[in-house]
Amino acid sequence: MNRTLALAFPDAHCELDFTTPLELAVATILSAQCTDVRVNQTTPALFAKYRSAQDYAGADRAEMEEYIRPTGFFRNKTNSLIGLGQALVERYDGELPNTLEDLVTLPGIGRKTANVVLGNAFGVPGITVDTHFGRLVRRWNWTQEEDPVKVEHIVGALIERKEWTMLSHRVIFHGRRVCHARKPACGACVLAKDCPSYGAGPTDPATAAALIKGPETEHLLELVGL
């Protein structure tokens, strides 16, 4: 299934815009309960204003809240960003650390965020168990665990470590574009023959094809002969 997803999404990648590890950590914190599209609309002005851990550490709370208000839960997120900046300045000379053990000690950064940063900013393989990833691997019977840490370890044992980051991107792309929560596009899915949940959504090819989203739509339909 991973190999098939690699054919379906050869350009799968982190859909948050960033240029530094710190920017990716900030964007990932902002992405909680918010779409990547909205985060990417919000971060250019934020990143222009706050360029370093020192900038976040010394930020004016009310001013930062206005910058990130569109992402929702902006007060909690402001707490996390200011706390992150302060912790980096106090403990890591203002630089984001590059190990899971260190990252998860920082305000606003749990395992999911840490794995996003490790995989995409530092090139360290990591599995990102977001809502799409957890939903799909349970739908595929790779695991029935709900706990993200257990899911991460079980899936990590199934797939080569070097593939972890790309697997995460492919599964998330597939969840956003094809295997939707309420109405998966089963009849136009490249994984149909391998999927134990085939039939959870419409199996008629034309009906299913209309459900596929995103810039890869034409390519995805070609792969299934539509």
Side-chain angles (χ1 to χ4, degrees):
M1 291 171 87
N2 180 37
R3 286 195 294 273
T4 304
L5 288 173
L7 294 174
F9 303 108
D11 300 318
H13 57 275
C14 177
E15 294 191 278
L16 292 168
D17 296 336
F18 70 98
T19 60
T20 67
L22 178 60
E23 286 185 358
L24 180 56
V26 169
T28 309
I29 289 169
L30 295 179
S31 72
Q33 307 294 311
C34 182
T35 66
D36 288 358
V37 172
R38 178 59 59 84
V39 173
N40 289 339
Q41 291 167 347
T42 303
T43 50
L46 183 74
F47 293 162
K49 170 77 175 174
Y50 304 98
R51 296 178 177 275
S52 67
Q54 287 83 356
D55 292 340
Y56 285 97
D60 177 82
R61 182 175 300 277
E63 189 177 15
M64 181 177 282
E65 285 180 358
E66 288 309 307
Y67 274 99
I68 68 172
R69 184 183 288 268
T71 68
F73 300 96
F74 58 91
R75 291 191 181 90
N76 285 343
K77 291 176 182 179
T78 296
N79 287 341
S80 293
L81 296 184
I82 292 174
L84 173 63
Q86 291 170 344
L88 291 177
V89 169
E90 288 165 13
R91 287 158 40 200
Y92 297 102
D93 295 326
E95 296 296 320
L96 202 71
N98 61 358
T99 68
L100 183 71
E101 294 74 24
D102 287 336
L103 285 168
V104 295
T105 68
L106 296 167
I109 298 187
R111 285 185 75 93
K112 185 185 89 170
T113 299
N115 278 320
V116 170
V117 172
L118 288 172
N120 298 288
F122 291 119
V124 177
I127 291 175
T128 302
V129 184
D130 74 348
T131 50
H132 295 291
F133 191 97
R135 177 168 61 77
L136 266 61
V137 297
R138 284 187 287 275
R139 194 170 259 175
W140 298 337
N141 283 350
W142 289 12
T143 177
Q144 288 308 310
E145 290 288 351
E146 295 280 344
D147 177 71
V149 178
K150 290 180 179 174
V151 172
E152 181 189 329
H153 289 311
I154 289 166
V155 175
L158 298 174
I159 301 287
E160 281 186 283
R161 186 171 183 270
K162 66 180 184 181
E163 284 281 289
W164 286 356
T165 301
M166 284 308 300
L167 172 74
S168 302
H169 293 325
R170 293 166 191 152
V171 173
I172 291 166
F173 264 50
H174 193 66
R176 286 176 172 165
R177 289 150 172 77
V178 181
C179 195
H180 311 299
R182 293 214 176 101
K183 229 174 164 185
C186 292
C189 177
V190 293
L191 296 177
K193 67 178 175 40
D194 295 314
C195 181
S197 297
Y198 177 76
T203 56
D204 173 65
T207 306
L211 297 172
I212 292 182
K213 300 175 180 175
E216 303 87 357
T217 299
E218 192 177 328
H219 168 65
L220 293 171
L221 293 178
E222 274 178 19
L223 287 177
V224 294
L226 293 175

